[in-house]
Amino acid sequence: MSRIVLITGGSKGIGLACAQRFAALGDKVAVTYNSTAPTGDYFSVKCDVTSADEVDAAFKQVEEHFGGPVEILVSNAGITKDTLLLRMSESDFTSVIDANLTAAFRVVKRASQGMLRARKGRIILMSSVVGLLGSAGQANYSASKSGLVGFARSLARELGSRSITVNVVAPGPVATDMTAALGEDRMKELTDAVPLARVASADEIAGVVAFLAGPDAGYITGAVIPVDGGLGMGH
């Protein structure tokens, strides 16, 4: 049956790949975006996930458009403001925490209302290998992505009795606009550190997200699934 799926940060990269994957499965797909709407046949809603009011309004639009609550939530929206600790302003730190971690709280809390009433649902949070490994110059980003793990595992225990699963995907380097901006030398450093010696495609991440939302993952919750070419193995 066609499910109602909402993906935050769905205009490009991993979020757009997830939208394409769910649409190909026949699901009803909605995406949020902050600046540029995605191309493709998706219900797109402009939403700043750092605003609780905008998150609530976005969910209402999706529910009215599709005639029901969100059944699968992919919390993917996020930002980076990389710099070394002594150069990192408090705003650099708190704004990344707000956009990556607190925003996940906002969208998950709103989605869980309908899921609890329906006594079913799938929640997938997009973390990162650096949330487990750490990364110099990314203390804010790493902290935000690590925080998603504790958040997800707490909710997995809290919501599990209502047949709602909560899982985390932790990608390594992925071929997106964000990594393309790093430059050739930095990309070589990243790929040299990955045992599989390459970056992932966004579609490879989307495939794992779709699996976690599918029937074969019905007994998986509170898990952190690495999709990192072996970069973070052992964590």
Side-chain angles (χ1 to χ4, degrees), residues 179-191:
T179 53
L182 294 176
E184 188 175 327
D185 290 344
R186 178 57 179 150
M187 284 305 296
K188 185 177 185 305
E189 289 178 13
L190 286 174
T191 53

Side-chain angles (χ1 to χ4, degrees), residues 3 16 20 41 44-45 67 89 105 118 120 123 139 161 172 203 207:
R3 306 161 300 176
L16 180 58
Q20 293 166 341
D41 188 21
S44 301
V45 182
S89 67
F105 158 77
K120 64 178 181 178
I123 296 169
S161 65
D203 190 57

Side-chain angles (χ1 to χ4, degrees), residues 81-132:
K81 290 186 179 180
D82 297 349
T83 189
L84 296 174
L85 177 65
L86 294 184
R87 298 174 184 168
M88 186 177 291
S89 67
E90 186 161 334
S91 175
D92 289 335
F93 189 85
T94 57
S95 61
V96 171
I97 296 293
D98 191 25
N100 296 359
L101 179 57
T102 313
F105 158 77
R106 294 185 187 102
V107 296
V108 170
K109 182 178 180 180
R110 183 59 175 78
S112 67
Q113 296 174 16
M115 293 179 180
L116 284 166
R117 284 193 293 269
R119 299 182 70 90
K120 64 178 181 178
R122 301 292 174 90
I123 296 169
I124 297 123
L125 308 182
M126 196 62 62
S127 181
S128 167
V129 67
V130 304
L132 307 174

Side-chain angles (χ1 to χ4, degrees), residues 136-215:
Q138 289 191 302
N140 48 4
Y141 185 76
S142 298
S144 71
K145 294 300 187 178
S146 178
L148 289 173
V149 176
F151 179 58
R153 287 182 164 163
S154 296
L155 294 182
R157 296 182 184 279
E158 185 174 325
L159 305 176
S161 65
R162 297 297 186 269
S163 298
I164 300 168
T165 67
V166 188
N167 291 294
V168 174
V169 175
V174 183
T176 63
D177 292 346
M178 188 181 293
T179 53
L182 294 176
E184 188 175 327
D185 290 344
R186 178 57 179 150
M187 284 305 296
K188 185 177 185 305
E189 289 178 13
L190 286 174
T191 53
D192 285 349
V194 175
L196 288 183
R198 66 175 180 86
V199 299
S201 70
D203 190 57
E204 287 176 303
I205 312 303
V208 175
V209 171
F211 165 73
L212 289 171

Side-chain angles (χ1 to χ4, degrees), residues 19-38:
Q20 293 166 341
R21 180 65 70 113
F22 282 112
L25 292 171
D27 292 317
K28 301 169 185 175
V29 180
V31 300
T32 71
Y33 66 95
N34 201 22
S35 54
T36 305

